[in-house]
Amino acid sequence: MAAREYGQYCGVTRALELVGERWALLIVRDLLVGPRRYGELAAGLPRIPSNILAARLKELQGAGIIRRAPRSRIIIYELTPYGRELEPVVLALSAWGFRALDEPRDEQVVTPDAMTITLRSAFQADAAASLPPTRYAARIGAAELDVRVSGRALAIARGAAETADLAFAAGPGIRRLLSGELAAQPAIATGEIELLHGPAALLDRFALTFRVAA
Amino acid sequence: MAAREYGQYCGVTRALELVGERWALLIVRDLLVGPRRYGELAAGLPRIPSNILAARLKELQGAGIIRRAPRSRIIIYELTPYGRELEPVVLALSAWGFRALDEPRDEQVVTPDAMTITLRSAFQADAAASLPPTRYAARIGAAELDVRVSGRALAIARGAAETADLAFAAGPGIRRLLSGELAAQPAIATGEIELLHGPAALLDRFALTFRVAA
DNA sequence: CCGGATCCTGGATGATACTG
DNA sequence: CAGTATCATCCAGGATCCGG
């Protein structure tokens, strides 16, 4: 038996043998947002050593979780259908881990892909279904996202939306907004969330749409 | 920053910092079935070194995921409410990893706790809701489970039920039954699943009740 | 025997430099 | 850009030991 195997006939152990190594699920997390090049992955995981990134990409490929897709001259990594089915795992980890976050420290970065997954895991489809379609331009830390909600559908793209209904910038306060610890209007009042464009009431709608349940 | 941290402000990274180390989620898996003593955990994870088990228990305790509960003179480990909320994570990993299992190898064991989680992750509450309450005595590898299904409720205990509606013994064939690859009656016909007591038709019901979706 | 603690070694991880 | 190569470090794993 390979040394790193757990010696059990069990789905959990098999899953951990495939994606349980350090950094592996973070690569999957970013690829869940979209196909990425090697350099994009490295940028989204600033602390990963390049040899580890290269090794993980090979292992994930061997396990049938990701594939290399040559596009003209550049190489793109993308999830296979089986790899995409890790989405429930990553979203569950995101929702659970989010509640263990405290205030961000200086050395902690907020990447667009990580924030996209955070919002996906916080998305309340039931609540959104009864709300009008809304487009948000959210700047959270250094990450700018174009967030479109329409009924039970959610689409998040990188970059700021040109014609958002609401544009806002948030720092650490985003955590307490998403956890429900802090309501939208107090967050604006204290400056924890800065409105850049659009009616303040739409931030209440945002808070209804995205919520990490306690 | 601690060396083992990922340097991102993100729920996924936080979760992996808390339960991403080797063996940690397997301890959680077994504790999701019920409180366990140190020796019971060691027995359910035959290949874990005792120092690693001790270290993980301390770390999980420090993270507020498990707690030590002194019962008279013995020490019991159990999940905290926050730890119990890892259940969606573990079940999602179980369902995903189950599909990557191939035939069990000789050195792979099947523990009662692992099998309990497997069945929980495969439980189809919607299908079960329209079926009559049923009690199964399932022997899978060396693990004997008492499985009671009543409407959308599922209760699994260790040991064989005395008065089950259906008693059966399965080996590797259980995987193909749960995956839908193999139907109940062919599994009986080929001897992959051995009926010990009760009508064969109840194995069809079992297969409808427990299914790892592809 | 239970519930660990201690010591030691090998391999995985991490930092850095380098290359087609 | 997309990785290798090299070297240092640290953790996992195995064996052993200890206190109640």
Side-chain angles (χ1 to χ4, degrees):
Chain A
M1 170 166 37
R4 306 291 295 178
E5 298 189 2
Y6 288 104
Q8 304 193 3
Y9 192 69
C10 161
V12 182
T13 53
R14 188 77 188 114
L16 292 176
E17 283 161 7
L18 294 176
V19 296
E21 275 174 302
R22 212 166 143 69
W23 296 106
L25 268 181
L26 298 179
I27 294 171
V28 172
R29 176 198 69 184
D30 286 4
L31 290 180
L32 277 169
V33 178
R36 293 284 181 266
R37 302 175 54 170
Y38 184 97
E40 293 174 316
L41 290 170
L45 303 167
R47 294 173 57 85
I48 194 174
S50 66
N51 56 347
I52 298 293
L53 176 56
R56 291 292 172 276
L57 288 173
K58 260 183 205 136
E59 294 159 10
L60 291 171
Q61 223 182 309
I65 295 165
I66 69 174
R67 71 165 75 99
R68 288 166 64 117
R71 297 263 199 285
S72 66
R73 304 216 25 194
I74 60 180
I75 293 166
I76 298 274
Y77 293 93
E78 63 186 12
L79 292 171
T80 64
Y82 188 54
R84 244 189 315 282
E85 286 166 28
L86 278 167
E87 176 161 353
V89 172
V90 173
L91 294 187
L93 275 171
S94 174
W96 183 83
F98 188 83
R99 296 172 39 208
L101 287 175
D102 39 8
E103 295 304 300
R105 296 194 300 284
D106 290 343
E107 71 276 13
Q108 290 184 312
V109 300
V110 176
T111 70
D113 288 348
M115 201 61 222
T116 298
I117 292 294
T118 298
L119 290 179
R120 272 201 217 166
S121 74
F123 183 55
Q124 303 290 319
D126 290 343
S130 59
L131 293 169
T134 314
R135 188 170 190 178
Y136 306 91
R139 178 152 57 78
I140 298 161
E144 295 202 335
L145 296 178
D146 173 13
V147 180
R148 272 170 294 177
V149 179
S150 182
R152 305 181 66 86
L154 167 67
I156 304 178
R158 303 173 76 145
E162 303 287 333
T163 60
D165 302 302
L166 175 73
F168 66 90
I174 191 71
R175 188 193 113 257
R176 299 201 292 153
L177 186 72
L178 291 180
S179 72
E181 204 178 312
L182 181 66
Q185 297 316 316
I188 296 172
T190 62
E192 298 199 56
I193 292 185
E194 183 189 357
L195 284 191
L196 303 174
H197 165 73
L202 282 187
L203 193 63
D204 290 294
R205 188 186 295 176
F206 181 88
L208 285 173
T209 306
F210 299 96
R211 171 71 53 95
V212 176
Chain B
M1 173 167 34
R4 306 291 296 178
E5 295 188 4
Y6 287 103
Q8 304 194 4
Y9 192 70
C10 162
V12 182
T13 53
R14 188 76 188 112
L16 291 177
E17 285 161 5
L18 295 177
V19 294
E21 273 175 304
R22 210 164 147 67
W23 297 104
L25 268 181
L26 297 181
I27 294 170
V28 172
R29 177 199 69 183
D30 287 3
L31 291 180
L32 277 170
V33 177
R36 293 284 181 266
R37 303 176 54 171
Y38 183 96
E40 293 175 317
L41 290 170
L45 304 167
R47 293 173 57 87
I48 194 175
S50 68
N51 59 341
I52 300 293
L53 175 56
R56 291 293 172 276
L57 289 173
K58 255 181 210 140
E59 294 159 11
L60 291 171
Q61 224 182 310
I65 294 165
I66 68 174
R67 71 164 77 97
R68 287 165 66 116
R71 296 264 198 286
S72 64
R73 306 216 25 192
I74 60 182
I75 293 166
I76 298 273
Y77 293 93
E78 62 185 13
L79 293 171
T80 63
Y82 187 54
R84 246 191 311 281
E85 285 165 29
L86 278 167
E87 177 162 352
V89 173
V90 173
L91 294 185
L93 275 171
S94 175
W96 183 84
F98 188 83
R99 296 171 41 207
L101 287 175
D102 38 9
E103 294 306 298
R105 295 193 300 285
D106 290 343
E107 71 276 15
Q108 290 185 313
V109 300
V110 176
T111 69
D113 288 349
M115 201 61 220
T116 298
I117 292 295
T118 300
L119 290 179
R120 272 202 218 166
S121 74
F123 183 55
Q124 303 290 318
D126 289 345
S130 58
L131 294 169
T134 314
R135 187 169 189 180
Y136 306 91
R139 178 151 57 77
I140 298 161
E144 295 203 336
L145 297 178
D146 173 11
V147 181
R148 272 170 293 177
V149 180
S150 181
R152 306 181 66 86
L154 168 66
I156 304 178
R158 305 174 77 149
E162 304 286 334
T163 61
D165 302 302
L166 176 73
F168 66 90
I174 191 71
R175 183 187 66 81
R176 299 200 292 155
L177 185 72
L178 292 180
S179 72
E181 204 177 311
L182 181 65
Q185 297 315 316
I188 296 171
T190 63
E192 298 200 57
I193 292 185
E194 183 189 356
L195 285 191
L196 303 175
H197 165 73
L202 282 186
L203 193 62
D204 290 292
R205 188 186 293 174
F206 181 87
L208 285 172
T209 306
F210 298 97
R211 172 68 54 92
V212 176

